[in-house]
Amino acid sequence: MADYLEKLRFPAGSEGPLLLLLFCGSLQFLQSLFPDPFLYERAAIAGGQWWRLLSGHLVHTNTAHLLLNGAAVIALWLVFGRSALLGNRHSVAKYLALVALLALLISGGLWLWFPNVDNYYGISGVLHGLFCFGAISELSQRRWSGALLLAGCAGKVAWEWIAGPSAATGALIEAEVAISSHLLGSVSGTLFALVLWITRSARCEGGAIHSAG
Amino acid sequence: MNPRYLRLILVPALAAIMVACSGPESPQDVTKAFWQAAVQGDAGEVAEYSTLKAPERFDADFARWAEYQPSWGRVIIDSDEASVVSRFSSKEHPQYRGRSFTTYLVQRDGEWLVDYERTVSSARGDAFGDLLRQFDQLGKSLSEQFDQSAEQAGDQMDLMLEQLGQEMEKAQGQMNEQATEAVENFSEELRKALEKMDKSLQRALEEEQEAPAEGDSKQFHSVALRNPLRAG
């Protein structure tokens, strides 16, 4: 598969987002048969169904919602590709681990700070996190477009909180857009990327540094 | 010959041979060798000093950078990864700001190699530029594959059409009579089916008018939820 993706000139490690889409598609199919066990549902999580903290981000309210977010997964991968902050090795596993970590951080944030959100579906919170992570990664490579992208994301999230969630998107996905997850995703992605950036910089400064030129 | 004189000749000669035979070793040396080969358009050398597997995939556009002066900045070695701050500035006007980017390297079997994909991505510009180029390359690649497939499919279709024509000529005589009968039968069946469907539709419309309105879209979510759905 890697060879075929390489032949199509997809960035290396494209199996990560493709596997993520496969997970989402599979869970969506299962959800059409068993609607209850996957979504983030506060009462069920309180009853010990911890897997919902993760699985809630992988299921969607309808096919349009899944396709919309699936397209965004691919678009984000094509824009940012393999992140410099995650390094070269095990890029597929690291991408999926980043998605899982962001999902758990968002779920934790919803649990702690947004008790009124009693149910939640979809990966868009994670997508906001991946966007901010990618933007910081760009900055870590001295690409200043990262700052522009980060500012754009902050503006978008701020606008959602000022003007309220988009009614048109809500109608399409047959649910109210959970802007709290967008905020949590953006903050989680930004903070995690900054932590990685600082850690890597500190490790490089403290380790073998050779100056030249 | 006095062994002392012999040593005086042999030691520098051996040293010269060793220097001549050994390739670039440090990340900075590999970076220099890689970019020298790249601006000269030497795909083979580029593949030798980098992770590029196939020399034919080397982007020959870098040959245009030959008119710029390369310079190298800070080298960071982190385990088996390294990066070299690289800059290409104008030879005629070195005071103007040139293009600055990072050359990434990875160590494989004790040998430093330029990470071709990451380095080229860094050298070419920012994320938007990368995206547009990737779309362009993806389009070209798909177009090539489509052309190949279309050519093969075209040949196969020509062959099939020829065979079909021959078969049809043979069967034409027999088919004429059978076709007339079949058309008559089919017309009758179709008329009955349409009548049946008409009745069925009328019945369904009547039932829908009587039944309470419900969403007809497929519900993926739990019907047990009482509160509005939230999604992102």
Side-chain angles (χ1 to χ4, degrees):
Chain A
M1 185 169 177
D3 288 343
Y4 188 71
L5 291 172
E6 194 180 341
K7 200 174 167 188
L8 288 177
R9 293 177 186 268
F10 273 96
S14 294
E15 296 91 332
L18 291 179
L19 276 174
L20 177 61
L21 292 178
L22 189 68
F23 288 150
C24 290
S26 305
L27 274 186
Q28 194 71 6
F29 173 70
L30 286 175
Q31 191 183 225
S32 66
L33 303 174
F34 312 103
D36 285 332
F38 302 112
L39 74 154
Y40 172 100
E41 195 179 355
R42 202 175 174 84
I45 293 167
Q49 297 180 8
W50 300 102
W51 65 86
R52 291 172 185 268
L53 294 171
L54 187 62
S55 65
H57 296 265
L58 301 177
V59 289
H60 293 79
T61 52
N62 57 22
T63 311
H65 191 200
L66 175 67
L67 292 176
L68 204 65
N69 281 347
V73 169
I74 294 169
L76 279 184
W77 179 252
L78 289 176
V79 170
F80 294 116
R82 197 174 50 176
S83 166
L85 284 178
L86 291 180
N88 250 344
R89 286 166 294 176
H90 314 302
S91 56
V92 176
K94 282 178 179 170
Y95 175 86
L96 293 175
L98 175 63
V99 168
L101 178 72
L102 288 171
L104 292 174
L105 287 173
I106 294 165
S107 291
L110 288 175
W111 181 269
L112 289 174
W113 297 306
F114 297 95
N116 60 322
V117 178
D118 63 346
N119 68 77
Y120 175 73
Y121 292 83
I123 201 164
S124 72
V126 173
L127 291 174
H128 279 70
L130 288 176
F131 187 93
C132 292
F133 188 92
I136 298 278
S137 185
E138 290 286 298
L139 279 175
S140 75
Q141 295 176 84
R142 303 178 185 192
R143 292 177 175 179
W144 307 118
S145 57
L148 203 64
L149 294 172
L150 206 58
C153 187
K156 187 249 181 193
V157 173
W159 176 253
E160 282 180 338
W161 279 85
I162 294 165
S166 160
T169 310
L172 184 67
I173 67 175
E174 297 176 306
E176 185 184 323
V177 177
I179 54 176
S180 45
S181 73
H182 296 176
L183 174 68
L184 287 168
S186 305
V187 172
S188 305
T190 304
L191 289 180
F192 184 58
L194 284 174
V195 168
L196 272 188
W197 187 6
I198 292 165
T199 312
R200 281 181 74 96
S201 302
R203 201 174 60 191
C204 291
E205 295 288 342
I209 300 179
H210 304 267
S211 292
Chain B
M1 187 185 271
N2 188 333
R4 209 168 156 188
Y5 292 122
L6 190 63
R7 202 184 301 161
L8 277 174
I9 297 167
L10 277 179
V11 169
L14 275 173
I17 289 167
M18 283 175 74
V19 168
C21 292
S22 64
E25 287 178 356
S26 71
Q28 197 182 16
D29 290 343
V30 174
T31 301
K32 282 180 186 172
F34 169 81
W35 281 111
Q36 191 176 355
V39 298
Q40 285 171 355
D42 188 341
E45 288 266 296
V46 166
E48 188 183 334
Y49 295 128
S50 72
T51 55
L52 179 67
K53 287 176 191 163
E56 62 271 15
R57 286 188 58 189
F58 167 61
D59 189 347
D61 281 353
F62 286 114
R64 284 188 301 179
W65 290 23
E67 61 197 77
Y68 294 96
Q69 176 72 42
S71 59
W72 318 108
R74 194 163 75 147
V75 181
I76 297 176
I77 301 172
D78 179 17
S79 181
D80 56 356
E81 290 182 18
S83 61
V84 179
V85 174
S86 312
R87 177 188 289 271
F88 277 72
S89 45
S90 170
K91 283 177 182 169
E92 293 172 7
H93 307 288
Q95 71 274 24
Y96 294 141
R97 193 170 177 271
R99 177 173 287 203
S100 188
F101 57 93
T102 306
T103 301
Y104 295 97
L105 298 102
V106 289
Q107 199 171 31
R108 301 224 174 123
D109 302 325
E111 193 181 355
W112 286 105
L113 292 174
V114 170
D115 185 334
Y116 182 81
E117 194 188 333
R118 282 179 79 191
T119 300
V120 167
S121 169
S122 174
R124 280 170 170 169
D126 61 11
F128 293 118
D130 290 351
L131 178 65
L132 291 175
R133 264 183 293 279
Q134 277 166 8
F135 273 130
D136 184 44
Q137 286 173 345
L138 181 63
K140 280 180 188 168
S141 180
L142 288 175
S143 172
E144 282 170 14
Q145 289 193 354
F146 179 75
D147 287 347
Q148 282 177 3
S149 307
E151 204 173 322
Q152 287 173 358
D155 291 345
Q156 283 183 348
M157 195 169 277
D158 287 346
L159 194 68
M160 280 170 62
L161 284 172
E162 200 177 325
Q163 287 175 348
L164 192 67
Q166 288 169 359
E167 292 293 326
M168 281 183 75
E169 276 178 24
K170 284 181 195 169
Q172 195 174 12
Q174 297 170 1
M175 279 175 69
N176 273 343
E177 288 176 15
Q178 288 174 356
T180 311
E181 194 182 337
V183 167
E184 283 171 3
N185 288 341
F186 179 69
S187 302
E188 182 61 21
E189 290 294 323
L190 190 65
R191 190 181 60 75
K192 286 178 186 170
L194 283 172
E195 281 175 6
K196 209 171 172 181
M197 191 172 79
D198 187 40
K199 285 176 189 170
S200 170
L201 277 172
Q202 280 181 355
R203 200 165 49 242
L205 281 170
E206 285 166 8
E207 282 173 4
E208 192 175 321
Q209 281 169 356
E210 287 165 11
E214 276 183 16
D216 58 354
S217 60
K218 191 167 190 176
Q219 296 290 309
F220 286 112
H221 49 75
S222 169
V223 289
L225 289 172
R226 291 283 174 264
N227 294 318
L229 300 180
R230 291 170 195 272

